[in-house]
Amino acid sequence: MILAGTLLLVLTGFCWVGIAATISVAARRRLDIDLIQAATAAVCVTTAGAVLLLSPPEKAPPLLLMLTVAAAGAGNYLMIRLLKIAMACGDNGAVWGITQSALIFPFLMGMVFFGVAPNAANLTGIVLILTAIVLFARAKSDGRHRRGKNWLKPTFAAFLVSGLSQCFANLPSYLAADRMGNVLRTFLVQAGVLTLFSCHTLLTHRKFRGRGIAIPTLVLSLANLLSLFFFFYRGLNLLAAAGVGAIGYPIAQGSCIAGFLLYSRIILKERFQPLSLAALIAVLAGIVVIAL
């Protein structure tokens, strides 16, 4: 059971690498990431909506909680926009590593607001992840990016937005876990993406650029549907049933960070500077320690 759950969460991490790679490609090719997100959300909302119609939940969760999960989706939309800006002028591996380190936010939320008792492992893991963020930020460019530290502001903005979104998305686990299944969460998160995209479009009268968005949309749709419908929540449930549920999210997150840093090294040819390598070790060590 533990092996099966771990495998599913590693597969989840690989799906998230696909999301990161798609954002990286959109940044390099100057594709319309907003339209890609909206098209992906439309696919996911349609799929999740069809499943909910065929098998509706027995009891709906509170409206305010559903709106909170939708807000998490709106936050994801904004985070990806910020990531595209950061990746266009900074080392993609460092940008992704810092942003994904926002996993410390839901841990802190649990400790501060929901009575989750901190222990030495939790606190040590948080310190290691914060250390990794500092190391990533201080690492020198690999030589291909020549815009100084312009990437730091959008990266840290994405880090903060990602942290808040993760907190919003995790609230059902504390307040109504039995009434907020993975399909409903997927529907609400993607509906949040579509809502913010629509508001942004109406306010800015932006022009759409559909060039080259078909494949990125397909990749993002598959990554989201596979991870949320088949891998992530099933993996978490298996580990929880085995009594080791605390290691679930860190396994997925660690696989994602390590996988994308390897992608940035092998595919994007971004060289690991000493500080970047130290940051990678620190963030992975922090995730492992938090899972203890």
Side-chain angles (χ1 to χ4, degrees):
M1 186 177 293
I2 293 177
L3 180 60
T6 300
L7 177 60
L8 287 173
L9 289 168
V10 170
L11 290 173
T12 298
F14 289 164
C15 287
W16 293 349
V17 171
I19 294 173
T22 301
I23 300 170
S24 175
V25 168
R28 287 184 287 114
R29 298 182 181 177
R30 297 183 179 181
L31 303 180
D32 192 335
I33 192 65
D34 296 342
L35 191 56
I36 292 171
Q37 287 197 78
T40 300
V43 172
C44 294
V45 162
T46 301
T47 305
V51 174
L52 289 171
L53 284 175
L54 294 173
S55 181
E58 294 182 2
K59 189 175 181 181
L63 177 60
L64 182 59
L65 195 59
M66 291 195 290
L67 291 175
T68 301
V69 176
N76 285 340
Y77 173 85
L78 179 57
M79 177 196 69
I80 289 178
R81 295 193 81 240
L82 291 166
L83 280 174
K84 180 190 174 185
I85 295 171
M87 285 183 174
C89 55
D91 295 341
N92 287 196
V95 170
W96 187 249
I98 290 174
T99 303
Q100 293 306 297
S101 297
L103 66 94
I104 63 173
F105 280 75
F107 272 97
L108 293 174
M109 179 183 73
M111 293 177 188
V112 174
F113 296 106
F114 295 102
V116 177
N119 55 44
N122 294 151
L123 297 177
T124 301
I126 289 172
V127 170
L128 283 169
I129 290 173
L130 292 175
T131 300
I133 293 171
V134 173
L135 292 174
F136 273 130
R138 293 183 64 84
K140 294 180 180 179
S141 170
D142 66 0
R144 297 187 303 110
H145 303 291
R146 303 182 182 278
R147 302 186 189 182
K149 295 293 183 180
N150 290 342
W151 63 280
L152 283 176
K153 289 182 180 180
T155 299
F156 279 108
F159 168 77
L160 292 173
V161 171
S162 175
L164 290 173
S165 297
Q166 288 185 46
C167 288
F168 289 155
N170 273 282
L171 282 175
S173 299
Y174 293 102
L175 302 176
D178 58 330
R179 287 186 280 167
M180 186 75 79
N182 57 325
V183 177
L184 180 56
R185 287 196 198 193
T186 301
F187 179 87
L188 292 171
V189 166
Q190 299 302 327
V193 172
L194 280 177
T195 299
L196 190 55
F197 170 80
S198 300
C199 292
H200 179 228
T201 300
L202 290 173
L203 291 173
T204 61
H205 305 288
R206 62 187 303 279
K207 294 181 179 179
F208 298 116
R209 293 181 289 109
R211 176 185 61 85
I213 72 164
I215 293 178
T217 298
L218 177 62
V219 172
L220 279 185
S221 298
L222 287 175
N224 278 294
L225 292 173
L226 286 175
S227 62
L228 296 175
F229 276 28
F230 302 106
F231 300 151
F232 186 45
Y233 294 111
R234 290 188 181 186
L236 290 179
N237 291 340
L238 285 173
L239 292 183
V244 290
I247 70 173
Y249 200 93
I251 288 174
Q253 206 79 32
S255 301
C256 171
I257 292 173
F260 186 71
L261 286 169
L262 288 175
Y263 169 87
S264 67
R265 174 67 181 89
I266 296 170
I267 304 299
L268 302 181
K269 308 300 182 184
E270 293 182 348
R271 295 188 297 274
F272 279 166
Q273 302 297 324
L275 285 180
S276 295
L277 183 58
L280 171 61
I281 294 171
V283 73
L284 293 179
I287 290 171
V288 170
V289 171
I290 282 177
L292 295 177

